[in-house]
Amino acid sequence: MEGRVFATALQRPLSEARTTLELAAPQPATQRVTQAQVSLAAAGVISTAAAARLISLRGRRSLAAQKSRHQARVLVSSVLRNATALEEAPQKLAEEAIKAAVATVDKDDVPGKEVLDDEGCRVSYVSHQRDASSCQQVDEDGLPLVYSVTKLNEYWGRSPGELTGRWGDFLGFATPWIAKAFGAGVTGNLKNEEANLAREAVDAMQTLGPTFIKLGQVLSIRPDVLPPAAMKELSRLQDEIATFDSDTAREIIRKEYGCELDAVFSELSDEPVAAASLAQVYKGRLLDGTEVAVKVQRPNALPTISKDLYVMRKAAGVVTELVNNLTAQSTDFKALVETFGEGLYTELDFQNEALNQIKMSELIEQTPNCKGVIVPNVFMEHTTRRVLVSQWIDGTKLSELPAERIKAGIRDAQEVFLNQLLAWGFFHGDPHPGNLLYVNSGPDEGKLVLLDFGFVAQIPEEDRDNIVTAVIHLGTQNWDGLIDDLIALKFLAQDCNRTTVTPVIQRVLRQYLVGGGAAAMNFSALGQDLLTMTTEIPFSIPPYVSLLARSIVTLEGIALKGNPSYQLVGEAYPYVVRKLLERSGDGSAQLTMALRGLLLDANGRVQSVRLSALLQAAVGVAAAASDRQGFIDFDAVPSEGADSEQLVLFLLSPSGRSVKPLIVKELATTIDLVVRSATRSGFLQFKQALKPPLPLPPVPLITPRGLKLKAPEDLLDILEPKLGRDEEIYLQSNAQVFLGLLGIEVDPNKGLDLSVSPKRVMDVLGALASQKDDDVRNAVSQLLSQRRGRGLVTEWWGDVYNNLQEVWGKRLANV
């Protein structure tokens, strides 16, 4: 209860707080007195005795109640006269809340639970490319070289004084800053204090060292998430990182190599050419003349970071205490910190980074559409845990180039990123703008180069499938399916109350769909809206999602500089489709059901416009933002897409096999309508051409009841009946995509116009009358012989004919 009252006091603007304290409204006077006494007493603005006196005024009626309200006004007015105390009240409230949370965490400071594999190594999403024995290694002081909460706690448990001192350093910066930020927010002064708060935060991060600098870099990934003042200050963490002494760097290289530098390098720059939170880079030349980048780890980085991660885990406990009191969020902030911490700790192993870099390079080289991105070569023979040597490449940050160059480059970047996420399950976990460069010279000039593979994460195929189905279920507004996906992805608990959860998720997410009217269609806006859900439902953020989010928002942030209307989800649709078709074609029941849910309507009929958009996406063509009506719009067909011949080639390829069962029936229906329309039109023209008109001989017709002779006109009405109004509408509208696949165009003014010779008409009628499979196939194929879709009919004839036989068989049964 006190936590909720505290939340109310913090979130209410000062003007509303004054109104509350005035107790002017007649009905909730009792409740308002209660809130006033709790808030003011907690802030130290009034004494406990005065607060008790205020609370004793509850429950009175008529004149007594009026007297009570008068007494309340007198007390509160005396408080309001002290304006300074009132302005400081929210800050004091925040300080008290933080102290209480710290006290609670101090009593229950236990590490998170770790899942270990058979080799005793931590199981996580962070990529560990080295052999299993490395997770047992320690340095010369016994400090674990591979991240383990338990082992790190055991190590630092032998030096509690150092941990206490570091925790105190952190609280010395954090407590007053958070309290000041809360105070500014509650009093409506946050806008004026933004620059000061940002400057103080960045100064504190730089003072606290590399771990907190890295954290600041994570926070600085989007210009549209944080205010300009914050972005300006946080940019210092990318561009103004202090270097360490070059003599120290050379000594680290000597110690790692066990030899003098001139035994490896013919040249090494006197000063670093770049500095980062964990290392700095020198330009060098190997003895064979190859130019290289030499990355050297900062001295004492491992012990410093391991202590800081202890501090961060403890701070996460404080955040959890505060959030649990203020919201319904159930995020495990310790788990988030441990994911960040493990990634950061793993970045200190440069041999693991080199192996990540080699694997990413191989994946990119094996993927045809990723040729616009390169990864520097690694020299493993010169790489150790603290020194990494790789190919030197001259480049410029993509984010600093003109908008047109960014737009061109982002296409290559998104190709690699989306393959990392959906195809490879092996993705770059720290893609800040400094790690994505435009190559300025050399054989790879004009390409993008991806740098820094210290933090790479791996996503299991099961989770990748769940991500795809979540996108499909959201776009089709299958809310039950989406809840299942969110449970599988661990955003929601298995036993969540769907009755409570579903309306909230619908309200927040529906605005990003077609007709939803969201003001902005990007991940920043979506992320802000998702945060609002945490105050209403137990919505958690899985640790690996924080890694994905960093990658997504970084890429989108760079792209938005080149194209303010850029929408990553829309651009990602071809990759989602590719994954959907690939996995459903491999027999995944989950993805097959998602594909059916995407394409079929409530009556089980294929939605032709949606199929057209899917086929365009399957061949790599995404609808432009101007063609889409929402964050996710599965009915957006590109205004300039692939032609029908390309779509047919896709359907006949192995990748198209999962679509075939869904569209064969619709394709057969379309063929039937085309054949009926063409043969009736051709037969009429044939009769009109007879001069003089002559009776046509009867045609033998094989029916279920035996052989019968039928006049051609009667046979035509039996086998190729006139199209009904609904069928004409279908042929003019819904069948457009299928007609396109058959190479048949429909003039919007003239309708379907097929010129068919009398011989073709009689061949079709004769084949259908004889019911011989080969004759029917040849007749229909010949009817379409001038059409690009003939190959589709020929290749799929067995399945198409089965459907056609069912239709024709029903007609013959009535003869």
Side-chain angles (χ1 to χ4, degrees):
M1 175 61 184
E2 289 183 355
R4 299 295 179 192
V5 172
F6 172 64
T8 302
L10 284 182
Q11 294 171 352
R12 179 179 290 117
L14 184 58
S15 60
E16 293 182 20
R18 289 175 185 268
T19 303
T20 296
L21 293 173
E22 287 289 352
L23 305 172
Q27 51 179 31
T30 300
Q31 180 184 356
R32 293 182 180 212
V33 171
T34 304
Q35 291 180 343
Q37 67 88 17
V38 172
S39 299
L40 294 175
V45 177
I46 62 175
S47 67
T48 303
R53 184 179 173 196
L54 278 174
I55 238 187
S56 71
L57 301 177
R58 295 183 299 172
R60 302 184 185 179
R61 299 289 186 269
S62 64
L63 292 174
Q66 293 179 19
K67 182 178 180 181
S68 298
R69 288 197 293 274
H70 174 71
Q71 290 174 323
R73 290 193 191 96
V74 171
L75 278 174
V76 176
S77 294
S78 66
V79 173
L80 291 174
R81 281 195 294 269
N82 189 344
T84 302
L86 186 61
E87 296 293 331
E88 293 177 352
Q91 186 168 333
K92 290 184 178 181
L93 279 168
E95 289 174 353
E96 292 300 319
I98 294 168
K99 289 178 183 177
V102 169
T104 301
V105 170
D106 283 339
K107 291 178 183 177
D108 185 28
D109 184 24
V110 294
K113 294 181 180 179
E114 291 187 296
V115 178
L116 305 179
D117 62 18
D118 294 338
E119 303 294 333
C121 298
R122 177 184 171 91
V123 176
S124 75
Y125 290 92
V126 177
S127 170
H128 294 281
Q129 295 295 312
R130 301 184 67 188
D131 60 65
S133 63
S134 64
C135 66
Q136 307 300 333
Q137 294 177 356
V138 296
D139 69 4
E140 58 269 21
D141 296 322
L143 185 62
L145 293 177
V146 175
Y147 187 79
S148 167
V149 176
T150 304
K151 292 176 182 177
L152 287 173
N153 273 31
E154 289 174 356
Y155 177 85
W156 287 110
R158 298 191 289 269
S159 306
E162 290 191 53
L163 291 179
T164 302
R166 190 61 171 162
W167 177 236
D169 292 341
F170 171 76
L171 288 179
F173 287 109
T175 301
W177 187 91
I178 294 173
K180 184 176 179 180
F182 267 123
V186 172
T187 58
N189 199 36
L190 185 59
K191 189 71 176 177
N192 296 331
E193 290 294 327
E194 275 179 0
N196 289 333
L197 286 167
R199 182 169 55 254
E200 291 172 11
V202 171
D203 288 345
M205 289 173 182
Q206 290 180 322
T207 302
L208 287 169
T211 314
F212 295 90
I213 290 174
K214 194 74 175 180
L215 178 63
Q217 290 174 343
V218 171
L219 296 174
S220 69
I221 53 180
R222 281 289 287 269
D224 55 335
V225 173
L226 296 171
M231 289 300 301
K232 179 181 178 181
E233 292 297 330
L234 285 169
S235 67
R236 290 195 279 137
L237 299 178
Q238 299 283 2
D239 304 324
E240 299 179 11
I241 297 176
T243 61
F244 62 91
D245 183 65
S246 289
D247 289 338
T248 302
R250 283 173 164 73
E251 185 56 37
I252 290 173
I253 298 174
R254 290 190 191 94
K255 185 176 180 180
E256 290 294 304
Y257 286 174
C259 65
E260 292 300 317
L261 271 61
D262 57 12
V264 179
F265 305 107
S266 61
E267 296 177 18
L268 191 66
S269 59
D270 293 333
E271 298 299 327
V273 294
S277 55
L278 304 182
Q280 57 193 36
V281 178
Y282 294 82
K283 185 175 183 180
R285 190 182 298 274
L286 297 177
L287 297 181
D288 64 1
T290 304
E291 286 190 321
V292 292
V294 183
K295 184 177 178 179
V296 186
Q297 192 173 118
R298 288 182 177 271
N300 300 314
L302 192 65
T304 300
I305 285 173
S306 63
K307 274 192 294 188
D308 288 346
L309 292 177
Y310 164 85
V311 169
M312 283 189 174
R313 284 196 305 275
K314 200 165 182 178
V318 173
V319 172
T320 300
E321 282 292 310
L322 292 174
V323 168
N324 285 346
N325 282 331
L326 300 179
T327 76
Q329 188 174 157
S330 58
T331 297
D332 186 346
F333 287 98
K334 275 192 175 181
L336 289 177
V337 166
E338 286 174 11
T339 300
F340 167 78
E342 182 179 7
L344 184 58
Y345 208 85
T346 306
E347 285 189 67
L348 297 175
D349 183 352
F350 287 178
Q351 287 177 319
N352 189 73
E353 175 178 349
L355 293 172
N356 283 336
Q357 192 164 330
I358 291 170
K359 181 174 180 177
M360 186 68 76
S361 178
E362 291 173 347
L363 290 169
I364 289 175
E365 288 175 0
Q366 294 165 7
T367 307
N369 293 336
C370 294
K371 300 304 182 185
V373 178
I374 62 170
V375 172
N377 296 325
V378 176
F379 298 89
M380 286 298 297
E381 66 274 23
H382 302 309
T383 296
T384 70
R385 281 192 64 90
R386 302 176 67 195
V387 177
L388 188 152
V389 179
S390 59
Q391 175 188 2
W392 177 268
I393 296 178
D394 285 310
T396 303
K397 289 182 184 179
L398 179 63
S399 59
E400 295 179 352
L401 294 176
E404 284 305 312
R405 182 58 256 181
I406 292 176
K407 287 177 67 175
I410 210 66
R411 285 194 291 271
D412 294 323
Q414 79 181 17
E415 183 77 38
V416 169
F417 167 74
L418 291 167
N419 271 289
Q420 289 177 31
L421 173 61
L422 298 175
W424 309 332
F426 185 79
F427 69 93
H428 196 300
D430 187 22
H432 63 74
N435 288 337
L436 190 59
L437 308 182
Y438 176 83
V439 181
N440 293 328
S441 60
D444 295 311
E445 182 178 355
K447 294 184 178 181
L448 298 182
V449 58
L450 191 57
L451 306 175
D452 194 355
F453 295 87
F455 191 3
V456 174
Q458 300 182 104
I459 254 191
E461 188 157 62
E462 179 183 359
D463 287 339
R464 283 180 269 152
D465 286 353
N466 288 327
I467 290 171
V468 170
T469 56
V471 172
I472 300 300
H473 289 149
L474 175 59
T476 56
Q477 300 193 48
N478 179 350
W479 302 109
D480 286 338
L482 180 60
I483 298 298
D484 289 337
D485 297 326
L486 294 177
I487 290 173
L489 290 167
K490 297 181 174 60
F491 283 96
L492 295 171
Q494 188 74 38
D495 59 351
C496 69
N497 186 335
R498 290 176 179 250
T499 304
T500 303
V501 165
T502 303
V504 176
I505 289 178
Q506 286 178 335
R507 188 188 74 242
V508 172
L509 297 182
R510 187 172 273 153
Q511 62 182 316
Y512 290 94
L513 306 178
V514 176
M521 291 291 177
N522 55 53
F523 269 95
S524 170
L526 176 60
Q528 294 297 318
D529 284 334
L530 287 176
L531 285 177
T532 66
M533 292 198 305
T534 66
T535 63
E536 302 178 62
I537 59 175
F539 193 80
S540 180
I541 302 174
Y544 74 90
V545 173
S546 65
L547 308 181
L548 284 177
R550 287 175 60 189
S551 297
I552 291 171
V553 296
T554 299
L555 179 64
E556 191 177 67
I558 296 173
L560 287 170
K561 289 184 176 181
N563 178 10
S565 63
Y566 181 84
Q567 296 173 13
L568 181 59
V569 169
E571 299 294 334
Y573 187 46
Y575 306 87
V576 172
V577 166
R578 192 182 305 164
K579 182 70 176 175
L580 182 64
L581 297 180
E582 172 192 315
R583 293 284 292 132
S584 58
D586 290 342
S588 168
Q590 178 185 1
L591 273 295
T592 299
M593 289 298 294
L595 179 61
R596 292 180 64 85
L598 174 63
L599 289 182
L600 304 184
D601 63 17
N603 297 317
R605 299 294 300 271
V606 172
Q607 301 176 78
S608 58
V609 174
R610 188 163 290 181
L611 172 64
S612 180
L614 179 137
L615 293 178
Q616 291 290 342
V619 297
V621 183
S626 57
D627 295 325
R628 296 192 293 268
Q629 298 181 40
F631 199 52
I632 299 176
D633 183 358
F634 294 147
D635 295 317
V637 179
S639 53
E640 296 183 8
D643 61 30
S644 58
E645 190 169 358
Q646 289 177 274
L647 301 184
V648 168
L649 289 174
F650 167 76
L651 287 171
L652 295 178
S653 73
S655 300
R657 64 181 180 272
S658 56
V659 184
K660 179 181 175 181
L662 299 179
I663 69 172
V664 160
K665 185 174 181 179
E666 299 289 344
L667 192 64
T669 299
T670 303
I671 290 173
D672 177 57
L673 296 178
V674 168
V675 171
R676 285 161 58 189
S677 179
T679 53
R680 292 189 70 85
S681 174
F683 186 78
L684 179 61
Q685 293 175 16
F686 171 61
K687 285 195 66 175
Q688 290 175 345
L690 291 176
K691 301 294 184 182
L694 297 173
L696 298 175
V699 178
L701 173 65
I702 299 176
T703 73
R705 298 183 179 86
L707 182 65
K708 293 187 177 183
L709 294 176
K710 288 288 181 181
E713 293 86 351
D714 294 336
L715 183 65
L716 184 68
D717 288 337
I718 292 170
L719 296 177
E720 307 294 348
K722 184 178 179 180
L723 272 61
R725 179 60 180 161
D726 289 344
E727 290 175 320
E728 289 180 350
I729 292 173
Y730 178 86
L731 200 57
Q732 296 287 340
S733 56
N734 291 350
Q736 289 289 312
V737 62
F738 303 105
L739 290 169
L741 296 175
L742 293 170
I744 300 170
E745 296 181 1
V746 179
D747 189 312
N749 298 315
K750 298 180 181 179
L752 184 66
D753 182 18
L754 289 175
S755 298
V756 182
S757 70
K759 182 178 184 306
R760 291 280 182 262
V761 172
M762 299 310 295
D763 285 345
V764 170
L765 288 176
L768 293 177
S770 70
Q771 294 293 290
K772 292 181 180 180
D773 292 358
D774 289 343
D775 291 347
V776 173
R777 181 183 66 245
N778 290 334
V780 173
S781 295
Q782 289 299 320
L783 184 69
L784 300 170
S785 62
Q786 304 302 314
R787 311 293 166 188
R788 295 189 298 273
R790 180 181 179 187
L792 189 65
V793 176
T794 303
E795 292 292 329
W796 286 6
W797 178 252
D799 297 282
V800 170
Y801 188 45
N802 286 338
N803 283 272
L804 287 173
Q805 276 186 315
E806 181 180 350
V807 175
W808 293 337
K810 290 179 181 178
R811 293 174 190 158
L812 288 171
N814 296 322
V815 178

